[in-house]
Amino acid sequence: MKTKLHGSIIVTYRCNAKCNMCNVWHHPSDRQEEVGLETFEKLPEMFFANVTGGEPFIRKDLPDIIEILRRKSRRIVLSSNGYFTQRIISLFQKYPDLGIRISVEGLPKTNDTIRGIPEGFDRTLRTLLILREMGIKDIGFAMTLQDINAPDLPYLYHLAKALGYEFATATLHNSHYFHKLDNRIGKVDAVAEQIQKLIQLMLKSKKPKEWFRAYYNYGLIHYIHGNARLLPCEMGEDGFFLDPFGDILACNGMNDKLPMGNLKHQAWEDIWNSQQAASVRQAVRTCPKNCWMIGSVAPAIWHHPLQPMKWVAVNKLRSAFGKAPLVAVEPVRPCDPVPGHP
């Protein structure tokens, strides 16, 4: 087992949002079938755990789950839509060292249209501001880019910086996890232009972390053009997903669900070292989808730092001389599916 093992813990597929890019709310998990605390106890030690859903704060026993994960992981970040303000506040009052990333899909009208939650932007911002007032330090919001919200991207970055929050990006993906295979970006060049603006802003930052986030966003441009990943995907080697039914997955990006095993019924070591796990890892290595999500990209940057470092060095120098970053992409390669192409 690698020492830098990271896990994404999907505690539920129940969700109060009705996002246009995700159909999980059409396919909620049954509360009675979701894994119990005894399954979370069987998880291995991790250096990082992301607790996600669905909407994780729908689970009333989430504080008990977090109590267990705190013994398993050095750092825990929750992904949420920010709607259940009081539940979020209560959890962070108990565990102020947790992190949280709240989904914000644009400025108010765009956000509420995409997420299908009336006054959702207001509730999200209120939750973020209360957490900051409480002194919580590991706070941020995350945006999933698509045609209708791309023009808001630079403004949300400025808002995050003004408030002192982390700012994360993703773009449309298709997989069994989202119950979507028809997500696509129609105006690829227009969306890429907005990402280029974000890259320029990040390169002007004094924080090295922002420079490598610029590189990550450079990879998003490659992805929406249908090109190969800039770095190899090693999910299933040093990262995994636990779903609400106990299945251990290498990733959530494949069209079909490929479990390594089931933690409700097996020990972690038996799953991780099984022939089935080896078969899933091989499927990841030969996967044609070229997904570019932060959960797989961040570890890839750690393990393969030379290319990102070279890109950062060249483009920081260009930024210092007032030149635009180098964000040209290769000719489109066929891969299935591609968000910018049917």
Side-chain angles (χ1 to χ4, degrees):
M1 182 187 299
K2 292 190 177 184
T3 55
K4 290 184 74 68
L5 187 67
H6 58 97
S8 293
I9 315 302
I10 310 168
V11 296
T12 184
Y13 283 138
R14 291 176 282 154
C15 191
N16 61 307
K18 298 179 180 179
C19 300
N20 69 346
M21 67 284 198
C22 176
N23 276 340
V24 71
W25 55 280
H26 282 303
H27 305 272
S29 48
D30 186 328
R31 182 176 61 85
Q32 301 298 327
E33 297 178 358
E34 292 171 353
V35 292
L37 300 181
E38 64 280 359
T39 300
F40 296 110
E41 290 280 9
K42 298 167 73 174
L43 284 165
E45 291 187 4
M46 299 164 277
F47 87 98
F48 174 74
N50 173 228
V51 179
T52 185
E55 171 50 51
F57 283 92
I58 283 180
R59 279 197 67 150
K60 300 250 182 108
D61 62 347
L62 185 61
D64 299 320
I65 297 171
I66 297 300
E67 175 67 30
I68 294 169
L69 293 178
R70 284 170 61 82
R71 302 196 301 269
K72 304 282 186 178
S73 180
R74 290 165 51 187
R75 179 173 176 239
I76 300 170
V77 173
L78 295 101
S79 297
S80 171
N81 59 41
Y83 185 84
F84 296 101
T85 304
Q86 192 52 54
R87 295 182 192 180
I88 295 171
I89 292 169
S90 296
L91 182 67
F92 277 78
Q93 284 175 333
K94 187 175 183 180
Y95 302 120
D97 59 338
L98 295 175
I100 190 167
R101 298 295 178 269
I102 295 181
S103 298
V104 180
E105 305 303 347
L107 297 176
K109 183 178 179 180
T110 304
N111 175 82
D112 295 355
T113 298
I114 290 174
R115 301 201 70 82
I117 303 178
E119 300 182 357
F121 184 92
D122 180 76
R123 293 189 70 119
T124 293
L125 188 59
R126 189 179 302 274
T127 300
L128 286 164
L129 292 172
I130 292 173
L131 289 171
R132 176 47 48 85
E133 189 177 41
M134 291 167 57
I136 306 303
K137 300 189 182 305
D138 193 354
I139 312 173
F141 52 81
M143 179 183 188
T144 301
L145 281 162
Q146 53 183 289
D147 289 301
I148 66 174
N149 67 359
D152 292 351
L153 176 61
Y155 301 110
L156 285 183
Y157 177 77
H158 285 304
L159 178 62
K161 296 300 103 180
L163 294 172
Y165 298 149
E166 300 289 324
F167 183 67
T169 51
T171 191
L172 298 177
H173 285 77
N174 292 294
S175 78
H176 73 276
Y177 174 76
F178 301 108
H179 293 276
K180 290 280 285 186
L181 296 176
D182 61 352
N183 277 327
R184 64 184 299 272
I185 291 175
K187 300 177 180 178
V188 174
D189 290 339
V191 174
E193 182 181 355
Q194 297 302 324
I195 300 175
Q196 290 179 32
K197 292 179 182 178
L198 177 65
I199 290 171
Q200 289 177 295
L201 291 169
M202 288 180 161
L203 287 171
K204 292 177 181 178
S205 171
K206 296 180 180 179
K207 298 179 180 180
K209 186 176 182 180
E210 290 282 277
W211 309 339
F212 286 93
R213 283 179 175 161
Y215 175 81
Y216 165 76
N217 282 280
Y218 167 61
L220 281 185
I221 293 177
H222 269 260
Y223 173 71
I224 68 173
H225 277 90
N227 291 303
R229 282 177 62 105
L230 299 176
L231 298 171
C233 177
E234 297 170 330
M235 291 300 293
E237 301 284 347
D238 57 5
F240 68 93
F241 283 76
L242 169 68
D243 82 359
F245 310 112
D247 286 328
I248 298 295
L249 312 172
C251 78
N252 68 340
M254 293 180 167
N255 288 356
D256 299 315
K257 181 179 176 180
L258 297 179
M260 293 178 160
N262 188 282
L263 199 59
K264 289 174 71 173
H265 308 297
Q266 298 170 267
W268 169 262
E269 291 76 12
D270 293 340
I271 295 172
W272 199 244
N273 300 313
S274 67
Q275 183 57 49
Q276 177 64 18
S279 297
V280 172
R281 292 185 186 109
Q282 180 59 30
V284 171
R285 284 191 285 270
T286 58
C287 178
K289 294 190 65 175
N290 299 311
C291 299
W292 192 256
M293 304 186 210
I294 194 62
S296 67
V297 175
I301 291 175
W302 302 328
H303 299 150
H304 308 277
L306 291 182
Q307 180 180 320
M309 289 175 67
K310 180 180 178 181
W311 186 91
V312 166
V314 168
N315 286 286
K316 275 296 292 180
L317 187 62
R318 290 180 64 86
S319 178
F321 284 94
K323 296 182 178 180
L326 297 171
V327 293
V329 296
E330 303 166 1
V332 172
R333 290 177 29 161
C335 67
D336 179 29
V338 178
H341 305 275

